[in-house]
Structure formats: structure tokens, C-alpha cells
């Protein structure tokens, strides 16, 4: 009897440890969408439950795709303005060729930058930060975290635009600057005046 209760205690302890480890190893799940795991169909169900309307686009051409198109969810993204989520301006949800979620970008109200930074610091592993960057360049201020195989980057691309990017680490370079234009050459030419030769 004693051996049985010791064995039972070991099994319970092991299951608790494994349960905690499994939970700790979960990838990020913004708005109930798990990066790298959620399917296109599951994402649509989540949006329907939240009563969020969306428009779907082809990734490469940024062209709207019809809701009856058979290629929906394959190398496309959903763009939506969520209702009743203060501080969130827009969400873009990206799917790969197998209709799996590989990235999510959230446009945020800039006043939430530091609050979100604090929250993300509690949840994810810090990787790097660069707060000395310039707006409208490829060197904008940013903070980067990681959880499992996912990068989470908080970006301040301008004084009026803050983005939060969740992306599979291997796809980070593909998505970190999606729909973000840089203006370094334009800014240099525009700001140069002839009288500056006299300085």
C-alpha cells in the first residue's frame, strides 16, 4: 500500500511539472491566435466570435481577395479594425501557403508604448532594444523579445505610429518592415538648402 501511494505521489508530481513546462512552452497567443499554430479557419472563427469584420488581401500584390475565392487563406492577410479595443487601431493577420498563421501586426496608439513595453517584459524573454533610432528610417526605435520560436517586436516607426509584430523567428526579416516605408533619401534631399554652404 505504501509503495502504491509513493508511486501515485511521483506520478502526480511529474504530471504537475510536465503541465507547467507545457504551459511555459506555449508560443505567444495574441487575441487568442497562436503564432505558428492557428489555422485560417480557426482565425476566422475567432474573429466571428469577437464580431470583428475584416478584409482579406493577397500578400504580394496587396490586392483585395473575394470571400468566395478558393485561394483564401493561402499567402494572404486579413486587415481589420477591432471594435471595443481601446488603443488598437488596426490588426493584420498573415497566413502562409499552408493556411497557417505566421505573423500578426498590431497598429497601436503611441501613448501605450511604455505600458505595452512593461507588459511584454513580464511575459517574454528580452532579446535587444534600440531606442536611439530615427523615425521614418529602417533604424526606428524598437524593443525585441522572444518566446519559443516567435519574435515579438514593439516598434516606434514615427511619433504617431507604434506597431507590435508577432512573427515566427525564421520569417522576421520578411515581416518586420511590412507596409513601413523609409524616407532617408527623400528627407536628405528635401532638407538641403543652398545657404547651408555658408555654414
Amino acid at each position: 500500500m505504501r509503495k502504491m501511494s509513493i508511486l501515485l505521489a511521483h506520478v502526480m508530481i511529474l504530471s504537475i511539472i510536465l503541465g507547467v513546462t507545457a504551459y511555459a512552452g506555449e508560443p505567444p497567443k495574441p487575441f487568442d491566435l497562436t503564432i505558428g499554430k492557428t489555422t485560417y479557419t480557426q482565425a476566422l472563427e475567432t474573429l466571428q466570435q469577437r464580431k470583428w469584420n475584416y478584409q482579406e488581401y493577397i500578400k504580394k500584390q496587396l490586392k483585395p481577395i473575394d470571400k468566395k475565392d478558393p485561394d483564401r487563406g493561402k499567402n494572404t492577410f486579413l486587415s481589420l479594425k477591432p471594435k471595443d479595443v481601446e488603443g488598437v487601431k488596426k490588426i493584420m493577420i498573415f497566413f502562409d501557403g499552408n493556411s497557417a498563421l505566421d505573423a500578426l501586426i498590431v497598429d497601436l496608439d503611441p501613448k501605450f508604448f511604455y505600458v505595452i513595453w512593461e507588459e511584454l517584459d513580464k511575459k517574454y524573454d528580452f532579446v535587444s532594444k534600440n531606442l536611439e533610432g530615427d523615425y521614418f528610417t529602417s533604424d526606428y526605435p524598437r524593443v525585441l523579445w522572444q518566446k519559443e520560436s516567435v519574435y515579438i517586436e514593439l516598434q516606434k516607426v514615427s511619433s504617431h505610429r507604434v506597431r507590435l509584430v508577432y512573427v515566427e523567428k525564421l520569417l522576421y526579416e520578411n515581416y518586420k518592415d511590412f507596409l513601413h516605408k523609409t524616407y532617408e533619401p527623400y528627407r536628405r534631399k528635401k532638407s538641403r538648402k543652398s545657404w547651408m554652404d555658408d555654414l
Side-chain angles (χ1 to χ4, degrees):
M1 186 69 173
R2 188 163 183 232
K3 285 182 182 179
M4 187 65 150
S5 57
I6 290 171
L7 181 63
L8 225 108
H10 281 285
V11 169
M12 285 176 61
I13 289 168
L14 190 60
S15 66
I16 289 169
I17 290 169
L18 290 175
V20 169
T21 307
Y23 181 75
E26 283 289 309
K29 198 172 181 178
F31 304 105
D32 297 323
L33 301 168
T34 308
I35 306 300
K37 291 189 177 179
T38 297
T39 65
Y40 176 75
T41 306
Q42 291 168 333
L44 293 186
E45 287 169 5
T46 300
L47 298 182
Q48 189 174 16
Q49 288 167 3
R50 290 176 176 263
K51 297 181 179 164
W52 289 353
N53 296 323
Y54 62 89
Q55 174 61 57
E56 188 165 358
Y57 296 88
I58 298 169
K59 268 193 264 189
K60 286 189 177 174
Q61 301 161 340
L62 300 179
K63 184 177 113 182
I65 190 169
D66 189 80
K67 291 194 177 188
K68 293 178 182 176
D69 193 307
D71 289 328
R72 289 180 314 135
K74 294 173 186 165
N75 290 314
T76 63
F77 71 95
L78 307 177
S79 179
L80 58 117
K81 293 183 180 180
K83 294 189 291 185
D84 306 320
V85 185
E86 184 189 355
V88 175
K89 296 178 175 181
K90 182 168 75 170
I91 299 174
M92 290 181 286
I93 304 165
F94 298 85
F95 300 94
D96 64 17
N98 297 316
S99 299
L101 175 66
D102 58 18
L104 185 142
I105 299 176
V106 186
D107 274 354
L108 300 159
D109 187 321
K111 72 181 177 188
F112 291 109
F113 182 82
Y114 290 102
V115 178
I116 290 169
W117 181 351
E118 285 177 25
E119 289 303 311
L120 296 174
D121 246 350
K122 294 175 195 171
K123 294 174 75 172
Y124 306 121
D125 300 322
F126 175 78
V127 175
S128 65
K129 70 179 174 183
N130 172 22
L131 299 178
E132 303 300 318
D134 293 325
Y135 298 147
F136 301 111
T137 71
S138 55
D139 187 36
Y140 47 81
R142 68 189 76 178
V143 186
L144 181 65
W145 295 269
Q146 183 173 353
K147 178 73 172 180
E148 295 298 300
S149 63
V150 176
Y151 269 171
I152 304 99
E153 186 169 72
L154 183 61
Q155 308 172 334
K156 198 165 192 179
V157 293
S158 79
S159 58
H160 303 292
R161 190 156 180 235
V162 167
R163 301 183 341 155
L164 182 57
V165 179
Y166 293 84
V167 62
E168 289 277 357
K169 187 177 176 181
L170 294 173
L171 302 171
Y172 173 71
E173 291 299 326
N174 296 358
Y175 286 102
K176 71 182 181 75
D177 294 324
F178 189 83
L179 292 182
H180 169 63
K181 299 290 183 193
T182 57
Y183 297 102
E184 290 103 323
Y186 172 78
R187 285 172 60 188
R188 279 197 289 273
K189 287 177 191 169
K190 189 75 174 172
S191 59
R192 179 82 170 70
K193 306 291 180 194
S194 60
W195 56 262
M196 291 178 182
D197 293 334
D198 296 329
L199 295 176

